[in-house]
Amino acid sequence: MVRGFSGAFWELRRKQQPWLRSRLNSACRHLMIWMVSGGQATPQVFLTDPGPHCPQRVMGTLGVPVREVGGGKGASRPGAPRSGCESLGRPAGDARVGVCVLSQTQTDKQRFLRAVEILSDAVRAQANGSMDEYFPKAVLAKKIEVRETRSDGGGPGDVGAVSPRGVCGPFWLFQTLILEEASELLTSNVRQQAMLCVVALSQVNPPFSLSQKLDLVNVGVVRVFALPHARRSVDEMDSASLYAQTVQAFEDMLQALVMDGLDPDMTILQKVLEFFRKYLTPEERADVILVAMEAMATTSRNDGSGASKMLTAILKSPMADIGKVPEIIQYICHRTRGVTETTAQATIRDLLCLLARTYTDEVVLVLFKIQDQSRSSRVRRLWEMLASVPRGYEEIMESLQQRMTQRPEPGAPEPRDRRQISPLMATRAIHELLLEPRQRVEVQSLFASLFMALLLRTSFLVAVGGTEPSWDQQHGAESMDPMSSTVDALKALMRSAGYGDHVSYVQKLGGWELLASRERHHEGVALLARAMVIKSCWHNRPVFSLVIGALQAHDRTDHLTALTFATELLRCPDVAATVDNVTIHILAGWFQSEDPVVVKQMLQVVETFAKHGNMARQLRLLQPYVLNCCYSQDSDIVMETFLMLQGVVQYLTWQRSSSFLVQLSFMLRPFFEEESERLRLAAFKIYEGILAKVKRGFLAFPLKHHVLNLIVLLVLHLEDRDADVAQVCRLTLCHMATALGWSGLKVTFAKKDMWMILKALLEQEAGKAIWFLRQCMTLFKSPQAPIRHAAVWFAGQIIQTLDMDKDGETEEAYSALQSLREDPDPMVSCLATQICYVLEAKETPSAPPPTSCFCTGRP
């Protein structure tokens, strides 16, 4: 090795100018000293099997004494030191130099490094120069594991330490020089000069191998990145300058090792980015990604493969911050269409999905910006790529859903970050992703929450007049109709989940137009829910669960939408089966609402429970709230309650709902005399329905007492001015006769007029005369004059059967009749006056007989 080096040196010196020959002479002298020095006062080199051309004369010329070891046959003298090659595990006869390097002074190190630079410059100055002509570069670049500082306080490595690989090359000196420098301090430029030597050597042939490059990068990272920031000191300027120069030298070394001409070597870049990624800034990471994608788009198979592997390695580990996201997305959209290699396509897809999951807002904004400007199909390809990764698809959709449901507080300032997407933009992005049909399984899991979010958003848009605040009028979104975008997304969601028939059904009934209507919005909501019930939607139960969750938050402004939807969904038996006490408690709370529309919705819920026929327990829990509605100050609520009860009674059975029916029958009494004919008719119909369910065996106290206490009222209302009420009362009397076992009176109730029924009732139930008289007295205050007149007449009939002297009950009746003498209706006042005369005559025997007007039995 020394022989070849010295011969090349003399040849090189002969060809150069005198001033350069002087510098080369000095440079090569220092190189040789470093190569053969053992750290002693007189450098030595150990040779094995020198052969016929001994380089002693040449080395002497350089001032390097040489001591020969061993004879021509390789024999060793007793006591002689082992040859360098033997100490390295080399076989005898290998004429290479074994080197042991001890620590040198800073001056020696700098001289050596300067010598390497001079030699590299000289070689590079030749047209076809190669370092191997003067010094084997491959030997310099042999990798060796250098031991770190010993625990006993020794130097960077044991003197004469040998690599486990058995190879020790002089380029180990560069690594050693860098590693010998303290990692916590920067006191000299040795580290800088060593890296600049690497730059110089990288510019001459033969090129470094991949492993050599990685070793050098590793050493630079270990000893440069660990340096602290430049500290303030007396020589602050010098310290800062040295720090900057060292960092610049490291950058130059990376440039020389990683770049292949003007383009990066993707293979080495991949390996480097694996001792180096965490040190990059977000913008630098973006640059790496852009470079990798550019390499994948080239025709070079090696570059494309290396770039793909590099990006794959980056994507597999936790992703640090990345800058220039819009630039990356634009590059993917415009520059990667020509990538046909399968692995590279998958890598680009994974990168796009990762960016969308981490930087959802920025990615969506860029995609819509490109889509709105170019109107091309390129962005459609990116939406398809985003929808092609199941896990990423779910995360992106969830993130978009959160953005869609965000609503600014009234009077709140607009968000300062213009990169944040608005609910409208999120809705549009959801629609685009739903157009990809391959993710049907993921849509199934997202359906319930996304469906409710879109539905409630339509209600919000209706409430604000169909347009959102200025927060949503960004990035060109003001040209879009928020309501149309939301309804379209809702349709796309249902189709993607397999509910195309539901969409068509709602369309035929005009439901989508109703949903977007300000005046009839909730009709559209109800129609949509009804379609899900009729068409047996698979997601009715999870959707209902979310609806109840929305109703639990009483401060929501879209509660009516949720309640309307819940009312319709409860028509589904599977949904009704999920109603537990917690759900009932949440629903019952809405009975306290001051909004009549809300209360009416709750009344529909109760009616739905009754129709199912197996929800007696739920009805019992809601019973107090229902009955309380009968006494509301809002007449419309009272009317709606009675209409609901009228229908509910038809679906209830006496066995399961007897307690509710009994309580309801007691509650109805005050409403039989309501002036509102609709309300009065509803009350009588409810009572008729209750008595129709009562069998004789079930008619026990107190219900029997209550029924008997209403018999006169029912008979007298056969004269009600509303013919429908009269007809219902006759049916009720027949049900009553059946329940009481009055078979004889049942025929009379069904066919005779009121006067004949009263006479027959008094004749058959004479023992209840006083009871009947009391019922007549309550009807003296009836708002209907015909009923007051009939009550007075029947009271007169009863009084004739009573003994005035023995029964004090007539005194109260007499006082009531006296007040009716001033009744505004002349027929009532006239009849009351006649009865009072009769009562007075019975007390005075000489009084004239009563007039025929009363005695005939009819007014």
Side-chain angles (χ1 to χ4, degrees), residues 680-730:
R680 189 167 69 252
L681 175 61
F684 277 110
K685 284 186 175 181
I686 294 172
Y687 193 65
E688 184 269 333
I690 294 175
L691 288 186
K693 297 179 181 296
V694 178
K695 306 300 180 182
R696 185 172 183 180
F698 299 141
L699 192 62
F701 184 87
L703 181 59
K704 183 176 182 180
H705 181 276
H706 177 70
V707 170
L708 290 173
N709 209 33
L710 290 176
I711 190 170
V712 174
L713 180 145
L714 292 171
V715 174
L716 295 186
H717 271 277
L718 294 176
E719 290 293 306
D720 196 286
R721 59 172 173 259
D722 187 341
D724 292 333
V725 172
Q727 182 179 358
V728 172
C729 287
R730 190 175 293 276

Side-chain angles (χ1 to χ4, degrees), residues 252 324 355 393 690 716 756 804:
D252 293 342
K324 304 181 181 179
L355 291 176
Y393 182 85
I690 294 175
L716 295 186
M756 297 299 297
M804 297 294 293

Side-chain angles (χ1 to χ4, degrees), residues 540-616:
N540 282 342
R541 293 177 66 170
V543 169
F544 178 75
S545 178
L546 293 177
V547 171
I548 294 300
L551 290 174
Q552 192 170 10
H554 276 254
D555 57 342
R556 295 182 64 94
T557 57
D558 46 24
H559 58 268
L560 185 56
T561 298
L563 190 57
T564 302
F565 210 83
T567 302
E568 296 296 331
L569 285 183
L570 283 171
R571 300 180 188 276
C572 175
D574 290 341
V575 173
T578 66
V579 177
D580 53 12
N581 290 350
V582 175
T583 303
I584 290 295
H585 177 74
I586 294 172
L587 292 173
W590 288 100
F591 269 113
Q592 311 299 323
S593 174
E594 297 180 357
D595 186 354
V597 179
V598 172
V599 178
K600 291 177 182 178
Q601 286 290 341
M602 284 306 306
L603 293 174
Q604 291 185 34
V605 170
V606 174
E607 184 175 8
T608 300
F609 285 173
K611 289 181 178 179
H612 283 299
N614 56 352
M615 304 188 71

Side-chain angles (χ1 to χ4, degrees), residues 499-680:
Y499 299 133
D501 291 343
H502 299 65
V503 176
S504 301
Y505 178 82
V506 176
Q507 183 68 46
K508 290 179 181 179
L509 299 178
W512 300 116
E513 290 75 13
L514 292 175
L515 198 64
S517 170
R518 182 179 180 86
E519 294 77 17
R520 305 180 64 184
H521 170 69
H522 290 99
E523 292 183 43
V525 173
L527 183 57
L528 179 59
R530 200 172 304 131
M532 296 178 68
V533 174
I534 295 174
K535 296 290 185 177
S536 301
C537 176
W538 309 319
H539 293 89
N540 282 342
R541 293 177 66 170
V543 169
F544 178 75
S545 178
L546 293 177
V547 171
I548 294 300
L551 290 174
Q552 192 170 10
H554 276 254
D555 57 342
R556 295 182 64 94
T557 57
D558 46 24
H559 58 268
L560 185 56
T561 298
L563 190 57
T564 302
F565 210 83
T567 302
E568 296 296 331
L569 285 183
L570 283 171
R571 300 180 188 276
C572 175
D574 290 341
V575 173
T578 66
V579 177
D580 53 12
N581 290 350
V582 175
T583 303
I584 290 295
H585 177 74
I586 294 172
L587 292 173
W590 288 100
F591 269 113
Q592 311 299 323
S593 174
E594 297 180 357
D595 186 354
V597 179
V598 172
V599 178
K600 291 177 182 178
Q601 286 290 341
M602 284 306 306
L603 293 174
Q604 291 185 34
V605 170
V606 174
E607 184 175 8
T608 300
F609 285 173
K611 289 181 178 179
H612 283 299
N614 56 352
M615 304 188 71
R617 178 181 58 83
Q618 290 86 343
L619 284 174
R620 284 196 298 271
L621 295 175
L622 294 177
Q623 176 181 330
Y625 302 96
V626 174
L627 297 180
N628 189 56
C629 289
C630 296
Y631 302 99
S632 172
Q633 298 296 322
D634 191 321
S635 59
D636 289 338
I637 291 180
V638 176
M639 189 68 239
E640 287 292 334
T641 304
F642 272 83
L643 293 177
M644 181 274 296
L645 289 173
Q646 179 181 332
V648 163
V649 171
Q650 299 177 14
Y651 304 108
L652 300 181
T653 63
W654 189 263
Q655 291 82 354
R656 292 184 175 182
S657 307
S658 59
S659 61
F660 175 70
L661 293 174
V662 170
Q663 186 171 0
L664 182 58
S665 64
F666 277 87
M667 183 273 302
L668 291 172
R669 175 62 181 86
F671 297 95
F672 291 147
E673 297 300 325
E674 277 288 335
E675 293 191 16
S676 170
E677 294 184 358
R678 290 188 62 209
L679 184 58
R680 189 167 69 252

Side-chain angles (χ1 to χ4, degrees), residues 380 426-436 485 488-489 492:
R380 181 68 251 159
T427 305
R428 291 182 61 194
I430 289 173
H431 184 204
E432 293 290 342
L433 290 173
L434 287 172
L435 294 178
E436 173 55 42
S485 298
D488 289 343

